[in-house]
Amino acid sequence: MSPAIRNWAGNITFNAARVHVPSSVERLREIIAGSRSVRALGSGHSFNAIADTRGDLVSVAELPRHVEVDPAAATVTVGGGMRFAEFTGAVHRAGLALHNLGSLPHISVAGACATGTHGSGTGNGTIASAVRSLELITADGEPLVLERGDPDFAGAVVGLGALGVVTRMTLDLVPAYDIRQWAYEGLPYGRLRESFDDILSAAYSVSLFTNWRDDRLEQVWLKQRVGDPQPPLAPADWFGARPASAPLHPVPGMDPANCTRQGGVAGPWHERLPHFRADFTPSSGDELQSEYFVAAEDGRAAFDALARIRDRIAPVLRIGEIRTVAADDLWLSPAYGRDSVAFHFTWFPDTRAVTPVLDAIEEALEPFAVRPHWGKLFTMEHERLRSLYERYGDFEALTAKLDPHGTFRNDLLERYFPAGG
């Protein structure tokens, strides 16, 4: 029995009988081929048991740090275990950029894509939507390369680790750009409701932070791409919000030193799109997280539904965040087939207190065909979740095709994708 290891938040203790940290793809292939039960572990930034196993847990952290920027094709190919902070600088120096990034540059690219992780922006898809090709090691230990346009590709990118261990990904790039980040405080709920779409589309990337206690949002972070034809920011009154007089942390009262530069100072995309700086590690073990996605046209009504239960939400919440995500065609992406508004919740680390609040949120958002983030806490049952994805059955068929003996299955996958459908 290997020593117990935990996820980023510390709320999951992995049940693995063995933990492997291979330093080569060849060794990874040997481990998978010789195992009856395998799961891959990246940065561990999941809050449920999606990476858990009772068999072999394989960390991809020590796999080769491969980075290949192709300026002619406008792509970057990286090792699946790499974290974004490890290669975004090289991409920028080549004059290129990813279209978006999540809040944390500390997470692994394969894990982020496998769970549908995203940043914000009405025109910005999930990080997974940039994937052009991926290589994964399947249950027989053999590599499989899938490219955009292949029949199984759209099912494999947000693959939940159910199809194999991703060893390499190629991502589409765009020309490098700079971002100015502005922070505001005290946006009235009423003004948000009046101008919901205008506020969420006011910049390249927009994040609204609320504690769900007051009738004002705590903060608004606007990330404006330099050169975009949007009006200059930092007016004295912006939809009733005031410019921040000093740098902010998303959680009020916490030190903003580890947050990306604010105050409208222009900087490279990879140093502004995340909320947190790559050279600082944000809190680990001090929070739980959940996130729920609704269609963009339902965003205002969903906000109202959550506001009606804020007395349930607020007592166990550190901070909530509202973002937007553009539609994609990836089968299990929470933004599949619809532009979306995402409601994120950073909870106090008390699973027993948080779980009934998740039930209340899912009930309040049920009229809007709400989809949860795959790597965060939710309580939704299989049949309800299945009804939310047009290609759910196709994904089940794909897992049966690529993993017929269930090598990559675990308790969470058995719950949501039971054998036989």
Side-chain angles (χ1 to χ4, degrees):
M1 174 71 73
S2 299
I5 60 172
R6 296 187 175 190
N7 64 339
W8 179 292
N11 66 310
I12 300 291
T13 299
F14 293 104
N15 293 299
R18 293 161 297 278
V19 178
H20 306 269
V21 189
S23 58
S24 69
V25 173
E26 290 73 19
R27 177 57 185 145
L28 172 64
R29 293 176 60 183
E30 292 173 359
I31 294 167
I32 294 173
S35 177
R36 296 172 59 186
S37 178
V38 182
R39 291 294 288 176
L41 179 66
S43 57
H45 197 262
S46 294
F47 296 82
N48 59 28
I50 193 168
D52 199 13
T53 180
R54 300 183 188 278
D56 292 287
L57 188 66
V58 179
S59 169
V60 296
E62 298 300 323
L63 289 179
R65 324 313 281 169
H66 176 86
V67 181
E68 180 183 345
V69 180
D70 185 338
T75 62
V76 61
T77 300
V78 299
M82 293 192 70
R83 303 184 185 211
F84 287 94
E86 294 181 291
F87 69 89
T88 49
V91 169
H92 181 73
R93 289 189 293 273
L96 296 165
L98 289 168
H99 75 285
N100 211 354
L101 288 169
S103 300
L104 292 169
H106 311 76
I107 60 176
S108 68
V109 60
C113 292
T115 54
T117 297
H118 60 96
S120 189
T122 54
N124 300 325
T126 60
I127 297 169
S129 67
V131 176
R132 182 179 294 194
S133 69
L134 73 162
E135 176 187 88
L136 52 89
I137 307 303
T138 56
D140 59 3
E142 294 300 315
L144 172 67
V145 176
L146 294 171
E147 299 181 346
R148 188 181 292 140
D150 290 345
D152 297 334
F153 174 82
V157 179
V158 183
L160 313 184
L163 308 175
V165 178
V166 174
T167 54
R168 185 174 294 196
M169 307 189 88
T170 298
L171 307 173
D172 286 330
L173 302 175
V174 298
Y177 53 92
D178 285 347
I179 292 281
R180 298 183 188 275
Q181 181 168 228
W182 306 92
Y184 293 82
E185 297 180 280
L187 175 68
Y189 274 12
R191 296 293 296 274
L192 174 61
R193 294 193 70 262
E194 291 171 3
S195 306
F196 196 87
D197 294 339
D198 290 339
I199 288 171
L200 283 169
S201 61
Y204 185 76
S205 174
V206 176
S207 290
L208 313 180
F209 295 99
T210 176
N211 58 19
W212 293 105
R213 290 177 176 82
D214 309 311
D215 289 328
R216 293 176 177 268
L217 285 92
E218 292 282 328
Q219 302 172 27
V220 178
W221 288 22
L222 303 175
K223 302 172 191 277
Q224 187 176 48
R225 193 163 66 169
V226 174
D228 279 357
Q230 293 166 322
L233 297 173
D237 183 276
W238 184 82
F239 291 97
R242 63 187 185 279
S245 58
L248 300 177
H249 189 287
V251 181
M254 294 193 70
D255 188 349
N258 63 346
C259 295
T260 49
R261 188 79 177 269
Q262 301 162 31
V265 179
W269 55 279
H270 63 290
E271 296 179 1
R272 296 293 184 274
L273 286 177
H275 294 335
F276 298 98
R277 292 168 50 183
D279 54 347
F280 280 79
T281 301
S283 60
S284 177
D286 295 330
E287 63 187 38
L288 302 173
Q289 292 184 11
S290 301
E291 189 167 29
Y292 295 96
F293 299 70
V294 303
E297 59 265 29
D298 293 326
R300 189 194 326 249
F303 175 84
D304 287 342
L306 292 170
R308 287 193 289 270
I309 62 167
R310 65 184 186 177
D311 61 328
R312 298 286 309 277
I313 296 171
V316 292
L317 185 73
R318 287 194 183 279
I319 198 66
E321 183 178 7
I322 304 170
R323 294 179 287 178
T324 55
V325 192
D328 60 46
D329 65 351
L330 306 174
W331 297 355
L332 290 187
S333 167
Y336 173 81
R338 66 187 195 189
D339 294 335
S340 300
V341 174
F343 294 89
H344 182 275
F345 302 89
T346 297
W347 308 107
F348 288 108
D350 186 343
T351 302
R352 180 175 295 182
V354 167
T355 299
V357 180
L358 301 182
D359 291 334
I361 289 172
E362 291 173 13
E363 180 180 0
L365 297 182
E366 185 171 10
F368 311 113
V370 62
R371 297 169 178 166
H373 190 298
W374 289 105
K376 301 183 181 181
L377 296 178
F378 60 94
T379 62
M380 203 171 292
E381 292 300 326
H382 161 245
E383 287 303 325
R384 179 176 169 190
L385 196 57
R386 181 185 179 89
S387 70
L388 300 172
Y389 288 92
E390 178 185 338
R391 306 298 298 271
Y392 206 91
D394 293 328
F395 182 79
E396 291 175 319
L398 183 58
T399 62
K401 171 185 171 183
L402 295 184
D403 185 20
H405 302 296
T407 299
F408 298 109
R409 297 182 72 78
N410 64 1
D411 291 347
L412 186 143
L413 291 176
E414 289 290 353
R415 176 180 178 184
Y416 289 106
F417 302 91

